[in-house]
Amino acid sequence: ASTGGEYTLTQATAGSAAISTTMPGVLSIDSGSTTSAQGANVQRLKSAFVPAAGKDIWAEFRVKYTGVGALNVETFVGLAASDTTVIAASAVSTNNRIGWSSVTDDGVLLFDCDKAGTPTTAAGHTIVSDTWDKLGFYFDGTADTVQQYVNGVATGTAIATTYIPKVVVYPTFVCQSAGTDQPV
C-alpha cells in the first residue's frame, strides 16, 4: 500500500498513514489497533541517505503521540534500511538504522543505532502524550560519529563508527500498539 506514492505503508495486521489535510506536510500514522505488535510501518523509499566519510547528515523529526495512555506504543522514528517489518514480535528487527525506538511499553525512546547487526542504544527521551517533540541527529562524516538532539539540545555522547550504518537508509516511521491503547 502507499500514501499517494510518497510513502510505502506495510501493515502489521492493522494501521494506516496519510498526509494530514489540516497540517500540510505532517504524516499522520495510526496503529489502528489495541492489540500488541499491530500497527503501521511507513518508509519514504524515494529519499535515500548514505552515511559516508566526508559527508554530513542532519536529520530532524517532529513527533507527537496521542491515544497513548500509559504510553503503550511500539515505535521507531529515524532512518533505516528498506524493510517491511522494522519492529517484529515487539523488537526492533531491522539492521542498519539510526533513530529512536521504544518497544518496552514504558514510553521511553532510546537513541538506537545499528550497523549490519551490531546495535547500540543510548538514553533518549520519554514520550509525553499529545506533546510535540523534536528528535534530531547529526552524522559527522569527518569524525564518523552521530550525535542525538532532543528538542534542539545535544543529548548524551556521540555514537562511534562501529554502530553507524554505511548503506542506504530511508526515513522510517513505525507506530504499533503495545496492547491496551491505540496509539496515533
Side-chain angles (χ1 to χ4, degrees), residues 3 7 9 15-23 25-31 40 42 64 132 175 184:
T3 60
Y7 294 87
L9 165 69
S16 63
I19 300 297
S20 173
T21 57
T22 58
M23 295 179 67
V26 172
L27 177 64
S28 295
I29 304 171
D30 187 336
S31 67
V42 183
K64 175 172 73 168
W132 286 103
C175 182
V184 177

mmCIF file of all heavy atoms in Angstrom, residues 3 7 9 15-23 25-31 40 42 64 132 175 184:
data_model
loop_
_atom_site.group_PDB
_atom_site.id
_atom_site.type_symbol
_atom_site.label_atom_id
_atom_site.label_comp_id
_atom_site.label_asym_id
_atom_site.label_seq_id
_atom_site.Cartn_x
_atom_site.Cartn_y
_atom_site.Cartn_z
ATOM 1 N N THR A 3 0.813 5.880 0.451
ATOM 2 C CA THR A 3 0.075 7.076 0.858
ATOM 3 C C THR A 3 0.214 8.116 -0.246
ATOM 4 O O THR A 3 0.739 9.190 -0.042
ATOM 5 C CB THR A 3 0.616 7.634 2.186
ATOM 6 O OG1 THR A 3 1.992 7.957 1.984
ATOM 7 C CG2 THR A 3 0.472 6.664 3.318
ATOM 8 N N TYR A 7 5.088 7.596 0.285
ATOM 9 C CA TYR A 7 5.464 6.713 1.386
ATOM 10 C C TYR A 7 4.926 5.320 1.108
ATOM 11 O O TYR A 7 3.865 5.162 0.512
ATOM 12 C CB TYR A 7 4.875 7.209 2.714
ATOM 13 C CG TYR A 7 5.458 8.524 3.164
ATOM 14 C CD1 TYR A 7 4.926 9.738 2.750
ATOM 15 C CD2 TYR A 7 6.562 8.554 4.017
ATOM 16 C CE1 TYR A 7 5.469 10.944 3.158
ATOM 17 C CE2 TYR A 7 7.106 9.754 4.437
ATOM 18 C CZ TYR A 7 6.549 10.946 4.001
ATOM 19 O OH TYR A 7 7.099 12.132 4.408
ATOM 20 N N LEU A 9 3.507 2.011 2.912
ATOM 21 C CA LEU A 9 2.899 1.547 4.158
ATOM 22 C C LEU A 9 2.817 0.028 4.137
ATOM 23 O O LEU A 9 2.361 -0.567 3.169
ATOM 24 C CB LEU A 9 1.485 2.119 4.301
ATOM 25 C CG LEU A 9 0.574 1.478 5.349
ATOM 26 C CD1 LEU A 9 1.072 1.785 6.754
ATOM 27 C CD2 LEU A 9 -0.861 1.947 5.174
ATOM 28 N N GLY A 15 -3.391 -0.693 10.800
ATOM 29 C CA GLY A 15 -2.627 0.543 10.687
ATOM 30 C C GLY A 15 -2.902 1.300 9.410
ATOM 31 O O GLY A 15 -3.289 0.733 8.398
ATOM 32 N N SER A 16 -2.683 2.623 9.492
ATOM 33 C CA SER A 16 -2.868 3.479 8.329
ATOM 34 C C SER A 16 -1.907 4.661 8.423
ATOM 35 O O SER A 16 -1.374 4.959 9.492
ATOM 36 C CB SER A 16 -4.315 3.975 8.257
ATOM 37 O OG SER A 16 -4.618 4.776 9.386
ATOM 38 N N ALA A 17 -1.724 5.316 7.281
ATOM 39 C CA ALA A 17 -0.878 6.510 7.233
ATOM 40 C C ALA A 17 -1.382 7.398 6.109
ATOM 41 O O ALA A 17 -1.795 6.903 5.059
ATOM 42 C CB ALA A 17 0.581 6.137 7.004
ATOM 43 N N ALA A 18 -1.360 8.712 6.345
ATOM 44 C CA ALA A 18 -1.787 9.670 5.324
ATOM 45 C C ALA A 18 -1.198 11.032 5.651
ATOM 46 O O ALA A 18 -0.949 11.352 6.814
ATOM 47 C CB ALA A 18 -3.310 9.752 5.277
ATOM 48 N N ILE A 19 -0.982 11.829 4.611
ATOM 49 C CA ILE A 19 -0.575 13.207 4.821
ATOM 50 C C ILE A 19 -1.785 13.950 5.380
ATOM 51 O O ILE A 19 -2.893 13.850 4.849
ATOM 52 C CB ILE A 19 -0.088 13.849 3.503
ATOM 53 C CG1 ILE A 19 1.103 13.081 2.939
ATOM 54 C CG2 ILE A 19 0.237 15.317 3.721
ATOM 55 C CD1 ILE A 19 2.342 13.086 3.818
ATOM 56 N N SER A 20 -1.592 14.681 6.455
ATOM 57 C CA SER A 20 -2.673 15.407 7.112
ATOM 58 C C SER A 20 -3.284 16.452 6.181
ATOM 59 O O SER A 20 -2.563 17.145 5.455
ATOM 60 C CB SER A 20 -2.137 16.098 8.372
ATOM 61 O OG SER A 20 -3.130 16.927 8.941
ATOM 62 N N THR A 21 -4.586 16.566 6.218
ATOM 63 C CA THR A 21 -5.271 17.597 5.439
ATOM 64 C C THR A 21 -5.387 18.896 6.227
ATOM 65 O O THR A 21 -5.644 19.943 5.647
ATOM 66 C CB THR A 21 -6.681 17.131 5.027
ATOM 67 O OG1 THR A 21 -7.417 16.784 6.206
ATOM 68 C CG2 THR A 21 -6.605 15.931 4.092
ATOM 69 N N THR A 22 -5.172 18.846 7.525
ATOM 70 C CA THR A 22 -5.268 20.050 8.358
ATOM 71 C C THR A 22 -3.912 20.642 8.691
ATOM 72 O O THR A 22 -3.818 21.807 9.051
ATOM 73 C CB THR A 22 -6.013 19.754 9.669
ATOM 74 O OG1 THR A 22 -5.335 18.711 10.365
ATOM 75 C CG2 THR A 22 -7.454 19.337 9.393
ATOM 76 N N MET A 23 -2.845 19.839 8.598
ATOM 77 C CA MET A 23 -1.484 20.301 8.869
ATOM 78 C C MET A 23 -0.605 19.857 7.698
ATOM 79 O O MET A 23 -0.004 18.784 7.753
ATOM 80 C CB MET A 23 -0.964 19.728 10.187
ATOM 81 C CG MET A 23 -1.721 20.202 11.415
ATOM 82 S SD MET A 23 -1.091 19.484 12.950
ATOM 83 C CE MET A 23 0.514 20.241 13.046
ATOM 84 N N GLY A 25 2.106 18.746 5.206
ATOM 85 C CA GLY A 25 3.457 18.249 5.436
ATOM 86 C C GLY A 25 3.587 17.297 6.602
ATOM 87 O O GLY A 25 4.637 16.715 6.823
ATOM 88 N N VAL A 26 2.518 17.108 7.362
ATOM 89 C CA VAL A 26 2.554 16.207 8.512
ATOM 90 C C VAL A 26 2.034 14.834 8.095
ATOM 91 O O VAL A 26 0.944 14.713 7.529
ATOM 92 C CB VAL A 26 1.708 16.759 9.687
ATOM 93 C CG1 VAL A 26 1.584 15.728 10.801
ATOM 94 C CG2 VAL A 26 2.315 18.045 10.213
ATOM 95 N N LEU A 27 2.834 13.819 8.349
ATOM 96 C CA LEU A 27 2.427 12.445 8.091
ATOM 97 C C LEU A 27 1.759 11.909 9.352
ATOM 98 O O LEU A 27 2.391 11.832 10.403
ATOM 99 C CB LEU A 27 3.646 11.583 7.734
ATOM 100 C CG LEU A 27 3.390 10.095 7.503
ATOM 101 C CD1 LEU A 27 2.482 9.881 6.288
ATOM 102 C CD2 LEU A 27 4.717 9.362 7.316
ATOM 103 N N SER A 28 0.485 11.573 9.248
ATOM 104 C CA SER A 28 -0.258 11.028 10.392
ATOM 105 C C SER A 28 -0.304 9.510 10.266
ATOM 106 O O SER A 28 -0.712 8.982 9.236
ATOM 107 C CB SER A 28 -1.687 11.576 10.426
ATOM 108 O OG SER A 28 -1.668 12.956 10.644
ATOM 109 N N ILE A 29 0.127 8.839 11.327
ATOM 110 C CA ILE A 29 0.159 7.381 11.342
ATOM 111 C C ILE A 29 -0.706 6.901 12.499
ATOM 112 O O ILE A 29 -0.590 7.398 13.613
ATOM 113 C CB ILE A 29 1.602 6.861 11.521
ATOM 114 C CG1 ILE A 29 2.498 7.426 10.424
ATOM 115 C CG2 ILE A 29 1.623 5.341 11.518
ATOM 116 C CD1 ILE A 29 3.970 7.137 10.637
ATOM 117 N N ASP A 30 -1.565 5.924 12.224
ATOM 118 C CA ASP A 30 -2.457 5.366 13.231
ATOM 119 C C ASP A 30 -2.201 3.864 13.311
ATOM 120 O O ASP A 30 -2.216 3.175 12.289
ATOM 121 C CB ASP A 30 -3.911 5.632 12.831
ATOM 122 C CG ASP A 30 -4.920 5.241 13.898
ATOM 123 O OD1 ASP A 30 -4.630 4.383 14.749
ATOM 124 O OD2 ASP A 30 -6.024 5.803 13.863
ATOM 125 N N SER A 31 -1.952 3.367 14.526
ATOM 126 C CA SER A 31 -1.719 1.924 14.676
ATOM 127 C C SER A 31 -2.958 1.128 14.286
ATOM 128 O O SER A 31 -2.853 -0.016 13.856
ATOM 129 C CB SER A 31 -1.322 1.585 16.113
ATOM 130 O OG SER A 31 -2.416 1.816 16.989
ATOM 131 N N ALA A 40 1.307 0.225 11.966
ATOM 132 C CA ALA A 40 1.808 0.662 10.674
ATOM 133 C C ALA A 40 3.325 0.810 10.652
ATOM 134 O O ALA A 40 3.919 1.320 11.596
ATOM 135 C CB ALA A 40 1.162 1.989 10.304
ATOM 136 N N VAL A 42 5.995 2.587 8.029
ATOM 137 C CA VAL A 42 5.969 3.512 6.903
ATOM 138 C C VAL A 42 7.389 3.938 6.547
ATOM 139 O O VAL A 42 8.164 4.304 7.429
ATOM 140 C CB VAL A 42 5.122 4.764 7.251
ATOM 141 C CG1 VAL A 42 5.027 5.692 6.061
ATOM 142 C CG2 VAL A 42 3.733 4.377 7.751
ATOM 143 N N LYS A 64 4.606 13.529 17.636
ATOM 144 C CA LYS A 64 3.639 13.621 18.733
ATOM 145 C C LYS A 64 2.842 12.326 18.747
ATOM 146 O O LYS A 64 2.393 11.854 17.706
ATOM 147 C CB LYS A 64 2.698 14.812 18.523
ATOM 148 C CG LYS A 64 1.597 14.893 19.576
ATOM 149 C CD LYS A 64 0.773 16.168 19.482
ATOM 150 C CE LYS A 64 -0.144 16.199 18.315
ATOM 151 N NZ LYS A 64 -1.126 17.304 18.396
ATOM 152 N N TRP A 132 4.293 17.732 21.223
ATOM 153 C CA TRP A 132 5.257 17.710 20.128
ATOM 154 C C TRP A 132 6.675 17.706 20.677
ATOM 155 O O TRP A 132 6.980 18.455 21.602
ATOM 156 C CB TRP A 132 5.091 18.923 19.219
ATOM 157 C CG TRP A 132 3.890 18.859 18.330
ATOM 158 C CD1 TRP A 132 2.715 19.530 18.503
ATOM 159 C CD2 TRP A 132 3.743 18.096 17.140
ATOM 160 N NE1 TRP A 132 1.841 19.224 17.490
ATOM 161 C CE2 TRP A 132 2.450 18.350 16.635
ATOM 162 C CE3 TRP A 132 4.575 17.219 16.449
ATOM 163 C CZ2 TRP A 132 1.980 17.750 15.469
ATOM 164 C CZ3 TRP A 132 4.100 16.627 15.286
ATOM 165 C CH2 TRP A 132 2.811 16.899 14.803
ATOM 166 N N CYS A 175 4.450 2.889 14.053
ATOM 167 C CA CYS A 175 3.520 3.143 15.158
ATOM 168 C C CYS A 175 2.676 1.891 15.358
ATOM 169 O O CYS A 175 1.787 1.596 14.558
ATOM 170 C CB CYS A 175 2.632 4.348 14.858
ATOM 171 S SG CYS A 175 1.489 4.762 16.209
ATOM 172 N N VAL A 184 -1.567 6.796 18.090
ATOM 173 C CA VAL A 184 -1.634 7.519 16.816
ATOM 174 C C VAL A 184 -0.428 8.424 16.766
ATOM 175 O O VAL A 184 -0.063 9.041 17.742
ATOM 176 C CB VAL A 184 -2.936 8.350 16.738
ATOM 177 C CG1 VAL A 184 -2.974 9.146 15.457
ATOM 178 C CG2 VAL A 184 -4.155 7.465 16.869
#
